[in-house]
Amino acid sequence: MENRKIRVALAGNPNVGKTTLFNTITGSRQHVGNWPGVTVEKKTGVRTYRGYEIEITDLPGTYSLTAYSMDEIVARDYIIEEKPDIVIQIVDASNLERNLYLTTQLMELETEMIIALNMCDLALERGDKLYINKMQEILAAPVVQTVASKGIGINELLDRVIEQKHDEKYHGREIGYGDLIESKVLEIEKVLLTDPELIKKYPMRWMSIRLLEGDSNVRAKIEKSAAAEAINELLASIDQEEYEAEIADKRYVAINAIFPQICTRCNVRLTKSDMIDRVLTNKYLGIPIFLALMWGAFELTFAFATPFTDMIERAFVWLAVNVSSGLEPEWLASLLGDGIIGGVGAVLTFVPNIFILFFLLSLLEGSGYLARAAFIMDRLMYKIGMHGKSFIPLLMGFGCNVPAIMATRSIEDEKDRLITLLVVPFVSCGARLPIYILLAGAFFGRQAGTVVFFMYILGIVIAVISAKLLRTTIVKGRPAPFIMEMPPYRVPTLRASVVHMWDNGAMYIKKAGTVILLGVVIIWSLASFPWGIEYGSEESYVGMLGHLFAPLLEPLGFDWRMTVALVFGLVAKEIVVASMGVLYGVGDNPEALTASLVADPSVTALSALSLMVFSLLYMPCVATLGVIKKETGSWKWTAFALAYGVAVAWMMAFLVYQGGRLLGY
Amino acid sequence: MINKDKMLFALIMGCAYALIGVVQTVTGISKALSEACGTVYQEHLIADTLFIPADIIAGLILILIGSVFLYGVSEIRAGVREGIAYVYVGIILSLIFGGIYVLAATGELLEIHLLKNAEYTGWTLLDTLRPEIYMGMLSLLTYLKWKDSFEVGEG
């Protein structure tokens, strides 16, 4: 039976369609978790094919297998230590040359390898001619042409997996590094071979090459070995940087020799993807086009979602009226109407906006545009002291700050990473969107979409200014340079976009049924007690709580209700809206929360704007603070993120409110 | 010859987008100023005739699309064969923003006909029309005609 089980690892550069291939093969039989000890995502899935159970592990996307990032270490450790039966390298056929660098490194790991030549359609459309047989011969591995997004070549790939498991038709090839390096490799190998434990666990030639390249992670692996001392002596006698450069150079020499034999371009011409790139990465037009597209996304999020939010709002009003009217005891009617339906309903009303925004962002990501956005912003990012790679976590922060902070692990330099991690919470996540939609919709009419767009821009601007401030004060230094590959433009598939939208949006619905529900019950309780007072009045516990904090927030234009909403919003930002739903008692009120806010004389357009600014900046939610602590391993930096956020939020909201009043608003 | 047609098209579209964008931005600014000063906002004749709303940001985006077309014209005129890329992207941007406002109009129609929202009483289809939509339609027709001819060969 064991013989019918095959363990496969998917390796490849970022943006080569690895995850699409993984999804196409495994369908819904997936498990998502973390790699042991780190927060890099681990995806595994199973596919039964021709009576074989094929277990597939999606390794992190990497350009090489050095030890410069956690992704690279995780990927190669899995191949070496877990020893999968087959490693499939997904290669972007339209970017073959660059992908071959990883191939040369995988070859050294002495593993059974298959090459999936993905996105062949794009390469062929461009006029490339690929010589598959020659490629198999030179790389000594089966090569299968695939188009993962259309499911083309998948069965053939699985057939090759089964064949390769039983019939080791191909035998490994190695890159030659020249006499000088090869003699050193042999010397190190000789010493390593004195330790039987190392022989069992690692490919000796690979280990020798990595040691010559000065790989600290590999050095740590031999630290306890009896061979360690001799190896250290040997390495101390050479200039490792020089060897590292020479080894990389030899790999490129090999690639330059291989490439013309396996691919020829019969027609050099600009594809549509190249044409789009020429304009979208233009020095003058690139950033304005990026901003215009983002504005368009928010405009549409607002305009197209309105009828759907209205429908949900009406449904909740109907529900509240029918559930709570005539229900006994009175407190239960109030709990259901004012508390649960009013609070949770206020949050769920914005589900269409959230889903539309995530859908549009996934379209931009799926098309390959967001990778360009990082490229366009790189120069600006470098100027303000941030690493170019930081833009990706910042963009991810639009969805949720928690995975965005985890994504900073791909930034190698610790200082670059710390700065990015500390400023990500200023990027407006999906949880803050309901606050903007509620207040902008109530007070800014047809300009609501623009106001929401500027909230997102403000978040980015504050993040950028904070990064500059940190770089010039606490975390001094220069950001490291970065190389980023730009995938070809693709028409995003509806399925992938919907799945991405659902992954992000479902989290929001789940929160409404858990933490937000709990929050509204607590707020309702505080608004109802002590017994005998008017619900949600200033005499209630919630009123007392509001008045306790009100002096701090009064200069920002907030009344006690807003103050309470902000206090509870510390747990999760959606609770700000849910709290207002509870405190304004809209559950059994035919008029919706929007109308109640507009009718409240203590809430003006200016205080609403100030509230939006404060909510954007004031503090990461509890989950984000938790992940900051985990990633920095420091309470000091966690406390800094919290205190800095509150201080910036207070100052900005003060400027907006008091500045607006001075201008006569 | 093909590039000459495309250059002419880009020139017309570039100028139209830029002009409409300027009108849209200027009317947007004058409306904002009227509101700030508490005076009555007077609709402009050109804006009214061409269904141009008073919208500063949307106006700036029209100017941006116009600039992309006109940048292409300047490159093609200078003999840069890749200038055609700007015409192609100009059309795509025009389609994207046209699409955005068609969807926004669909949302408004749902409010009127499905939800019978009182806020939209007296609303007609013409109220949803704006330059992004009719200019986008022109781009759509052109795109359908030329979609396979946007290529820059080795020459």
Side-chain angles (χ1 to χ4, degrees):
Chain A
M1 185 60 202
E2 193 55 31
N3 214 25
R4 309 291 284 179
K5 190 172 177 182
I6 307 175
R7 290 189 309 122
V8 174
L10 297 185
N13 288 186
N15 297 312
V16 292
K18 205 160 56 63
T19 304
T20 311
L21 188 81
F22 175 78
N23 290 338
T24 310
I25 295 177
T26 60
S28 56
R29 295 179 67 190
Q30 297 181 3
H31 173 74
V32 181
N34 275 354
W35 291 91
V38 293
T39 47
V40 176
E41 190 180 77
K42 179 184 186 182
K43 275 174 127 183
T44 52
V46 178
R47 166 78 182 264
T48 308
Y49 183 77
R50 281 174 44 192
Y52 284 85
E53 190 181 289
I54 304 174
E55 187 193 274
I56 299 176
T57 303
D58 188 12
L59 300 178
T62 59
Y63 293 105
S64 71
L65 292 176
T66 49
Y68 290 121
S69 77
M70 192 53 77
D71 287 355
E72 291 177 343
I73 294 172
V74 162
R76 75 178 195 194
D77 278 0
Y78 180 80
I79 296 171
I80 295 166
E81 283 161 22
E82 301 292 322
K83 301 197 188 321
D85 298 311
I86 314 277
V87 174
I88 299 178
Q89 188 201 350
I90 294 94
V91 166
D92 176 359
S94 63
N95 218 332
L96 197 52
E97 200 172 358
R98 199 170 332 174
N99 283 243
L100 284 176
Y101 193 83
L102 182 65
T103 314
T104 62
Q105 291 191 316
L106 283 169
M107 281 155 72
E108 279 164 4
L109 292 178
E110 296 172 12
T111 180
E112 290 298 325
M113 191 165 68
I114 295 176
I115 291 171
L117 210 51
N118 200 29
M119 297 194 250
C120 281
D121 51 344
L122 293 176
L124 297 175
E125 187 193 322
R126 192 171 64 181
D128 291 359
K129 190 151 177 56
L130 302 162
Y131 301 97
I132 305 298
N133 289 337
K134 192 77 185 169
M135 205 182 294
Q136 293 187 143
E137 188 190 313
I138 295 176
L139 301 175
V143 177
V144 181
Q145 297 188 71
T146 59
V147 183
S149 60
K150 295 175 185 165
I152 296 170
I154 303 300
N155 286 350
E156 202 194 332
L157 182 65
L158 295 176
D159 288 338
R160 289 292 91 74
V161 166
I162 294 169
E163 272 172 30
Q164 188 78 348
K165 160 87 175 170
H166 295 294
D167 175 24
E168 292 176 8
K169 190 175 159 188
Y170 295 93
H171 301 286
R173 285 268 159 88
E174 289 165 352
I175 303 279
Y177 294 107
D179 291 346
L180 179 68
I181 294 173
E182 288 295 341
S183 67
K184 282 285 173 210
V185 168
L186 280 175
E187 230 174 292
I188 296 173
E189 249 187 283
K190 217 165 140 188
V191 182
L192 290 174
L193 284 168
T194 59
D195 185 340
E197 282 302 308
L198 289 178
I199 301 172
K200 257 192 272 172
K201 281 174 91 175
Y202 304 107
M204 290 293 101
R205 179 175 166 82
W206 169 80
M207 195 164 227
S208 308
I209 294 166
R210 293 306 308 149
L211 285 167
L212 270 180
E213 286 185 280
D215 188 319
S216 55
N217 183 264
V218 172
R219 272 188 103 147
K221 287 183 198 300
I222 62 154
E223 227 169 42
K224 287 177 188 159
S225 160
E229 208 183 317
I231 295 284
N232 287 339
E233 263 177 42
L234 223 154
L235 293 176
S237 65
I238 61 166
D239 182 345
Q240 286 182 310
E241 271 185 30
E242 205 176 288
Y243 271 78
E244 189 184 7
E246 182 66 17
I247 289 170
D249 196 41
K250 291 288 181 197
R251 284 201 186 107
Y252 281 115
V253 169
I255 291 166
N256 288 338
I258 296 168
F259 185 62
Q261 297 182 63
I262 59 176
C263 172
T264 52
R265 281 197 192 152
C266 32
N267 186 10
V268 179
R269 63 182 182 191
L270 274 185
T271 61
K272 282 178 183 159
S273 180
D274 297 331
M275 283 206 276
I276 297 171
D277 257 347
R278 192 178 164 88
V279 183
L280 298 191
T281 56
N282 179 289
K283 199 162 51 163
Y284 306 109
L285 296 168
I287 292 178
I289 291 175
F290 170 66
L291 291 174
L293 288 174
M294 294 310 283
W295 179 84
F298 290 109
E299 184 76 353
L300 189 59
T301 297
F302 219 96
F304 191 58
T306 307
F308 302 103
T309 54
D310 281 355
M311 281 181 213
I312 297 174
E313 202 171 88
R314 286 183 192 192
F316 272 104
V317 168
W318 178 87
L319 197 65
V321 169
N322 285 282
V323 168
S324 57
S325 63
L327 188 71
E328 293 293 337
E330 202 182 317
W331 67 265
L332 184 63
S334 173
L335 172 64
L336 288 174
D338 296 324
I340 294 172
I341 298 174
V344 177
V347 175
L348 287 181
T349 303
F350 302 106
V351 164
N353 302 89
I354 304 267
F355 273 67
I356 290 173
L357 182 63
F358 282 136
F359 181 74
L360 295 173
L361 289 177
S362 70
L363 283 183
L364 288 175
E365 193 181 343
S367 68
Y369 180 66
L370 286 191
R372 269 74 180 178
F375 174 78
I376 295 163
M377 302 304 280
D378 178 47
R379 200 164 27 164
L380 189 66
M381 301 288 281
Y382 191 80
K383 270 187 190 159
I384 56 166
M386 282 177 92
H387 192 271
K389 271 190 184 172
S390 303
F391 194 66
I392 299 293
L394 289 180
L395 276 177
M396 283 179 75
F398 283 141
C400 177
N401 288 175
V402 173
I405 287 172
M406 287 178 177
T408 60
R409 284 190 157 244
S410 62
I411 301 168
E412 293 86 7
D413 186 88
E414 278 303 311
K415 283 182 177 177
D416 290 337
R417 185 165 171 249
L418 180 64
I419 290 176
T420 312
L421 193 146
L422 291 172
V423 303
V424 160
F426 290 124
V427 177
S428 193
C429 63
R432 285 170 248 198
L433 187 60
I435 307 174
Y436 311 146
I437 294 170
L438 172 69
L439 296 169
F443 293 97
F444 296 95
R446 291 180 72 85
Q447 298 305 317
T450 303
V451 171
V452 175
F453 169 71
F454 276 111
M455 281 298 126
Y456 278 76
I457 295 293
L458 179 68
I460 290 277
V461 169
I462 296 291
V464 159
I465 293 172
S466 300
K468 180 81 182 166
L469 203 65
L470 287 168
R471 181 60 89 184
T472 49
T473 54
I474 309 170
V475 196
K476 285 183 183 167
R478 287 186 73 77
F482 99 121
I483 302 164
M484 180 145 183
E485 188 171 0
M486 290 197 280
Y489 284 102
R490 286 168 281 213
V491 176
T493 62
L494 184 66
R495 188 171 175 269
S497 302
V498 169
V499 167
H500 187 272
M501 173 190 78
W502 180 254
D503 283 350
N504 286 292
M507 188 172 68
Y508 179 78
I509 296 175
K510 204 171 148 190
K511 260 172 141 182
T514 53
V515 66
I516 296 167
L517 180 64
L518 183 68
V520 297
V521 171
I522 293 171
I523 298 163
W524 174 85
S525 307
L526 293 173
S528 303
F529 294 99
W531 279 119
I533 52 99
E534 190 190 336
Y535 173 78
S537 66
E538 297 185 37
E539 291 76 35
S540 66
Y541 289 135
V542 86
M544 292 176 206
L545 183 73
H547 284 292
L548 182 70
F549 287 100
L552 288 173
L553 301 180
E554 250 171 30
L556 315 182
F558 306 158
D559 73 346
W560 68 269
R561 283 191 188 90
M562 290 173 164
T563 306
V564 169
L566 288 168
V567 169
F568 282 96
L570 298 178
V571 180
K573 298 273 169 126
E574 296 95 329
I575 296 184
V576 173
V577 169
S579 305
M580 287 186 174
V582 175
L583 294 173
Y584 279 90
V586 293
D588 59 354
N589 188 342
E591 278 190 305
L593 179 54
T594 309
S596 306
L597 280 169
V598 174
D600 184 351
S602 62
V603 188
T604 62
L606 192 60
S607 64
L609 189 64
S610 168
L611 182 61
M612 279 191 266
V613 170
F614 193 83
S615 303
L616 163 71
L617 306 168
Y618 80 117
M619 176 183 148
C621 64
V622 171
T624 307
L625 278 178
V627 83
I628 290 176
K629 162 70 183 69
K630 196 174 170 193
E631 294 297 313
T632 57
S634 151
W635 281 111
K636 190 186 83 179
W637 285 118
T638 312
F640 175 82
L642 171 66
Y644 180 69
V646 173
V648 170
W650 197 93
M651 281 190 290
M652 289 303 297
F654 182 84
L655 279 176
V656 168
Y657 186 68
Q658 298 298 342
R661 285 185 64 185
L662 277 176
L663 292 171
Y665 287 102
Chain B
M1 182 61 193
I2 290 173
N3 276 359
K4 210 170 175 187
D5 287 350
K6 288 188 175 106
M7 190 178 80
L8 186 66
F9 168 77
L11 183 66
I12 295 168
M13 289 297 270
C15 292
Y17 263 108
L19 286 173
I20 294 171
V22 168
V23 174
Q24 194 154 318
T25 309
V26 169
T27 51
I29 292 169
S30 66
K31 190 180 178 188
L33 286 175
S34 303
E35 280 168 4
C37 303
T39 56
V40 181
Y41 167 68
Q42 294 285 328
E43 281 203 359
H44 298 254
L45 182 65
I46 303 172
D48 201 29
T49 315
L50 292 172
F51 303 97
I52 301 172
D55 190 336
I56 301 171
I57 306 272
L60 292 174
I61 287 171
L62 291 183
I63 295 173
L64 174 69
I65 298 173
S67 310
V68 173
F69 277 121
L70 294 176
Y71 199 104
V73 172
S74 71
E75 288 226 330
I76 297 171
R77 277 197 64 189
V80 181
R81 292 169 60 83
E82 290 86 350
I84 206 75
Y86 290 85
V87 185
Y88 182 66
V89 173
I91 289 175
I92 289 180
L93 287 174
S94 168
L95 289 175
I96 289 173
F97 283 94
I100 286 173
Y101 284 103
V102 166
L103 285 172
T106 310
E108 286 177 346
L109 289 173
L110 283 175
E111 285 280 359
I112 300 161
H113 297 291
L114 194 69
L115 298 172
K116 313 274 182 216
N117 194 331
E119 224 178 275
Y120 291 86
T121 311
W123 204 261
T124 68
L125 201 58
L126 276 183
D127 290 312
T128 63
L129 192 61
R130 47 189 295 156
E132 291 86 350
I133 295 179
Y134 57 76
M135 295 296 283
M137 282 175 179
L138 272 177
S139 290
L140 181 63
L141 293 174
T142 315
Y143 178 78
L144 292 175
K145 187 168 181 267
W146 282 343
K147 67 177 174 174
D148 296 322
S149 65
F150 280 105
E151 272 174 10
V152 182
E154 205 166 16

